[in-house]
Every structure is written in C-alpha cells, then in structure tokens.
Amino acid sequence: MSFKPHGKHLIAGTWVNSMEKFQSEPAHGDANDFSVGTTDLVEKACAAAEDAFATYGYSSREERALFLNTIADEIDARGADVTAIGTSETGLPAGRIEGERGRTTGQLRLFSKHILTGDYLDRRYDKALPDRNPLPRPDLRTIQRPIGPVAVFGASNFPLAFSTAGGDTAAALAAGCPVVVKGHGAHPGTGEVIADAIHTAIKKCNLHPGVFSLVQGGNRTVGQALVTNEHINAVGFTGSLGGGRALFDLCAARPKPIPFFGELGSVNPMFMMTNAIAARGKALGTAWAASLLMGAGQFCTNPGIAIVVKSEAANAFIEATKAALDQATPQTMLTNGIANAYGKGVAEFRSAAGVQELIADTCTPRTAVAALYRVSGKDWMRNSALSEEVFGPLGLVVEVESLDEMLILAKSFDGQITCTLHMDEADTADAKNLMPILERKAGRILANGFPTGVEVSDTMVHGGPYPASTNFGATSVGTLSIRRFLRPVCFQEIPKDLLPTDLQ
C-alpha cells in the first residue's frame, strides 16, 4: 500500500495531532497510529463551523453545487489510495470499496444537481391583498433555510457511503450547513484520505475552512461533547440501537434540544406468501441465502427473518436456503468487535427456547459463518429477543400456522427499515390484508425483491418507525434527506433587497 496515513485530525483547515494515540486494527496489512479525539478539538471544530455558517449558510446554490462536485472529483483522484486503505482496514474486497466509492461520489453529484433545480426550497408566495375584507392580507413568502452546523458520526459498516463524505455529510453541505464529522475507529485511515479530499476542495472553492472538520475516534466523551455542543443544530448517526439511543437522549436533554437523525438497524422481515412459496420456494430460498451472505450480512437492510405458513412448500424453501448457506465460506467481518457481537448473537439464538438450529458453526476472530434457525410463530411471539437485529449472516425462519397468524405476527413487529412481500398474482388478496400493517411498520416496502440493494435517488426512503430510526419523517439515503437540515422561514412584508436571493 503506497498511502501512509499521518493519523491527524482535520480541524478547520489544519491537520492537528493530539497527545494520546490509538492503533488501527486492520484486517490485513500494517496497523497505523492515529490521534485520539478530545473535547477541546470538538469545541474548536464546532466554533469554526459556526463561523463558517455566516458565509456558507448564505452561499449560492451554484457555489455549493460546485463544492460538492469538486469533493467528488477529489475523492476519485485518490481512488487508488481509497481502495488500498479501505480494503486493508475493513477486509472488504476491492470491488466493494470501489463500488462504494462510486456511490459516495454519485451521492455528492446527485445533491449538486438536486439543489440547482431549486425544488427542495419549497418556495411559497401569498400575494398581498390590501383591499380584502374584513382584514387585509400581508405579502407572505416562505422558503427552506439551512439550520446551521451539523454533527455526523461515521458508520462502521460503510467506510465511505455512510461516513466522512457520506450521505449525511452530502445532504448537510448541500443544504448550506457546515459539518463536523466524528470518524469511526474501524476505518480511520479511510476517513483521513476522504477528509483530505474535502480539505482540497475547500481550498479550490475558496470557502471558509470551518465548513468541514474531522475529529478522529475517541472515547464516549468525544461523541457526547459533539452532540451537546451549543453550535450543533442536528446530528446524523448510523449505528447500534444502544449507542444511538444514548446520543438521542443527550440531544433531547440539552437546554435547547436538537433533532437526532439516527438510523439504528432493522431485521427487515420478509413475508412469504403461500402461492409464491408453492411456485418457486426453492429459488426464493437460494436467493434469500445470497442476500443474507452479501457483505457478511453487515447491512442495515439485511433480510434476517422470513415468515412462512407451515407446509411442504415451506420446507422446500427452508431446505434450499440451508443448502445454499452450507456452501458458503467464512467471511471477514469489519471489526473484531462486530465479529464478537455476532458470535454472541449466534450463541443466544442457539440456546433460545423453541428455536431449532439448522446451520451454525464456531466463529473465529474477525470471521463469521452463516447461521440459520427455525422457530414457530408462537415461540417467536414469546421471546422478544428473537426480533432483535443480529449484525451478520444470521437468518431465522418463523413458521406460522395460517395467514391469520401471519397478520398477527406482522402487527407485533417494531419499526423496520424495510418489509418485503414475496408473492404471486394469486396472493394479491392476502397481500392486500398485509399492506396497511406493513405501511405502518417500514419506510420501504418491497415486492419480490431483496432489500440489500438501496438505490440512491429522489424517491428512496431509508428509515422507518422507531427503532429503525429515531425520526420516522426522515430518510438517510436519497435527496429527501436534505430536509433534515432545513427549516421553513416565513418573510412577511420584507423588502425585496432583504430577502434571501432565492426568494427575490
């Protein structure tokens, strides 16, 4: 690997060391030393972001679009370095890293196009009616305005697309909000090279250096200091339910509470309708296994649960899934911590009452093997732990006695990022009974597909009712996510020269 990280933080245009160091834990290659984040660095980064907002928050859409495109260009210019450090730190194959880099730069360029159209501003105008009786109406104009500096937490499972310059950062910068990123300790070198790309883009576009800062990983006090800093106006987070809920509570407990947009995981249940299973159960089982194994199951859209009505066709589906998973080889996981947590999850399923183990093997450090379990609908309903996410390639088949029991079980799910219907035309009437339930449970509902592919587009919703996310009105993927970092402002009888440029 030619790229050698220097291990510093980027604070308002300056690369900064700190006394304490931590060492990366790469899947292969050499470990590197990185500076540990501190509360003092957080304060400096947030203060600089507030200073930057005075200009960046009032920049033109054209200026911000150029900035986003320049970041994308600079990331692509560092493509070889991104691949080298990304594969080393995460163990992901080069093709996955390169594909994720394309998604990351694609998001930036998509937001660039999105803000140039101006539709996201939701401009509204009520013309003055001075002669209206019994009361005249004033001139009223409304537009969406940026909220101020935003904090973003890097994600463990997406070192690029959900981290330093990922969707949260792209949406915030597009809206006109400076960003302070807390880097994830699982891939600090990847975060550094992406931060360098943003740093170069800031200089090329002649922007205030406080528009972006990266504070490398530290202990919990660093994250706490970031979400409670008085200059931060919103937080974007992708991670565990426990960690996200702790930060959410801190945001709510502030003297001036701020929104916390946390994407906290999901089991993404699939409802296997009877005619579909009868017609193509074996093919569905093979396809489900492929989706479970993708990326060692380390996706928030991993379809971890399949609900089937007990039958011979359902048995064929289960056997096909098992046969496909049996052929899988152990996969390297993103971190030792994730691998350990997966091993604990497998052990808990193995010992749960009423659960039949179909496939399981002993995990070795940093690797995972597929696991498959089977349980009745009644036993599943008795044990809420079986509905909790196990981050990795673990699948659970829940067998119900009837479609009526499937409806009862669907109602019992907590909020999900996705729910899926596998159905044939003959299943339409039964699927219609499920749809009102699933619409209240998930941000995205699929038919005859697998949720592990997330299209970055204008229509995508990535989020859902709690605990899938902390704000059911938001998405962390797609151009709708820009709404999280905007708020409507109404201008009444304001002279034209005082209005925002986009309202004049």
Side-chain angles (χ1 to χ4, degrees):
M1 183 176 68
S2 59
F3 174 70
K4 176 69 175 177
H6 51 61
K8 300 178 182 178
H9 315 275
L10 178 64
I11 308 297
T14 302
W15 291 103
V16 179
N17 259 317
S18 50
M19 293 295 292
E20 188 179 356
K21 306 292 181 182
F22 72 95
Q23 197 169 65
S24 63
E25 298 180 354
H28 56 79
D30 296 332
N32 295 289
D33 290 331
F34 291 88
S35 293
V36 172
T38 67
T39 56
D40 181 59
L41 289 171
V42 168
E43 174 58 37
K44 290 177 179 177
C46 293
E50 179 66 22
D51 286 343
F53 185 63
T55 52
Y56 190 70
Y58 300 89
S59 59
S60 70
R61 288 180 281 128
E62 291 76 14
E63 289 171 316
R64 297 199 301 279
L66 175 62
F67 179 40
L68 293 171
N69 283 329
T70 305
I71 295 172
D73 291 343
E74 291 299 323
I75 291 173
D76 280 339
R78 292 159 175 76
D81 288 341
V82 172
T83 299
I85 189 67
T87 54
S88 171
E89 289 185 325
T90 66
L92 294 171
R96 159 69 192 276
I97 293 291
E98 289 162 3
E100 193 180 327
R101 175 166 60 86
R103 173 174 167 174
T104 304
T105 56
Q107 289 174 160
L108 291 160
R109 294 185 173 109
L110 177 64
F111 275 108
S112 173
K113 293 178 181 178
H114 182 66
I115 60 175
L116 286 176
T117 67
D119 293 343
Y120 77 99
L121 295 168
D122 194 16
R123 288 172 282 204
R124 303 179 183 212
Y125 178 39
D126 286 324
K127 187 176 181 180
L129 299 174
D131 299 324
R132 188 183 70 173
N133 288 314
L135 294 172
R137 184 175 75 187
D139 181 281
L140 297 167
R141 301 166 190 257
T142 299
I143 192 172
Q144 298 288 332
R145 300 294 294 150
I147 60 173
V150 168
V152 172
F153 284 71
S156 63
N157 60 332
F158 279 87
L160 299 169
F162 277 85
S163 289
T164 310
D168 289 343
T169 298
L173 292 176
C177 301
V179 173
V180 178
V181 170
K182 181 185 179 294
H184 199 286
H187 41 75
T190 310
E192 179 185 306
V193 71
I194 298 300
D196 184 66
I198 301 173
H199 178 47
T200 301
I202 290 171
K203 291 188 289 185
K204 284 188 173 182
C205 295
N206 196 29
L207 299 175
H208 190 297
V211 76
F212 174 85
S213 291
L214 168 69
V215 181
Q216 289 285 15
N219 57 34
R220 292 182 179 178
T221 60
V222 176
Q224 293 167 355
L226 184 55
V227 302
T228 57
N229 188 277
E230 62 177 337
H231 300 304
I232 295 298
N233 292 268
V235 178
F237 174 89
T238 299
S240 68
L241 175 60
R245 183 56 198 250
L247 295 174
F248 172 84
D249 290 343
L250 284 174
C251 289
R254 288 173 44 143
K256 295 180 181 179
I258 60 172
F260 179 84
F261 299 103
E263 193 264 278
L264 307 181
S266 177
V267 293
N268 306 293
M270 302 187 305
F271 296 85
M272 320 301 291
M273 309 309 290
T274 54
N275 288 286
I277 282 287
R280 48 196 171 91
K282 291 182 179 179
L284 285 171
T286 302
W288 181 34
S291 187
L292 277 174
L293 292 168
M294 185 182 295
Q298 297 168 113
F299 292 108
C300 46
T301 53
N302 191 40
I305 294 181
I307 301 98
V308 300
V309 178
K310 187 182 294 185
S311 67
E312 287 302 316
N315 288 336
F317 162 76
I318 295 168
E319 287 303 314
T321 306
K322 181 178 182 299
L325 293 177
D326 268 332
Q327 297 175 18
T329 57
Q331 297 183 72
T332 301
M333 301 200 82
L334 291 161
T335 69
N336 291 325
I338 290 174
N340 290 336
Y342 176 70
K344 290 179 181 177
V346 169
E348 289 171 2
F349 267 66
R350 183 176 291 154
S351 61
V355 174
Q356 177 188 1
E357 184 176 84
L358 302 178
I359 299 176
D361 201 349
T362 304
C363 300
T364 59
R366 194 114 182 205
T367 64
V369 292
L372 184 64
Y373 297 90
R374 183 178 194 165
V375 69
S376 71
K378 290 181 174 61
D379 284 329
W380 186 87
M381 294 280 285
R382 294 188 187 106
N383 187 352
S384 61
L386 297 177
S387 65
E388 296 175 3
E389 180 183 32
V390 176
F391 200 57
L394 183 148
L396 175 66
V397 179
V398 181
E399 289 184 302
V400 295
E401 298 294 333
S402 65
L403 288 167
D404 288 339
E405 188 180 353
M406 183 181 284
L407 289 173
I408 294 169
L409 192 140
K411 291 177 182 179
S412 72
F413 273 100
D414 288 331
Q416 303 292 323
I417 294 174
T418 72
C419 288
T420 300
L421 285 165
H422 285 285
M423 57 175 288
D424 285 353
E425 186 176 354
D427 294 309
T428 300
D430 294 324
K432 277 186 176 180
N433 293 330
L434 271 169
M435 281 298 291
I437 302 170
L438 303 189
E439 189 175 319
R440 296 187 66 185
K441 297 295 181 180
R444 177 164 58 114
I445 305 169
L446 299 81
N448 297 324
F450 292 89
T452 37
V454 181
E455 183 71 24
V456 182
S457 67
D458 293 328
T459 53
M460 178 53 61
V461 174
H462 190 70
Y466 186 85
S469 56
T470 56
N471 189 312
F472 57 76
T475 174
S476 61
V477 176
T479 55
L480 273 173
S481 64
I482 197 173
R483 293 186 179 182
R484 298 173 297 164
F485 308 122
L486 298 164
R487 65 181 182 88
V489 180
C490 178
F491 298 88
Q492 180 173 327
E493 296 289 355
I494 299 297
K496 179 180 177 181
D497 290 345
L498 297 182
L499 290 170
T501 303
D502 285 319
L503 265 183
Q504 292 175 7

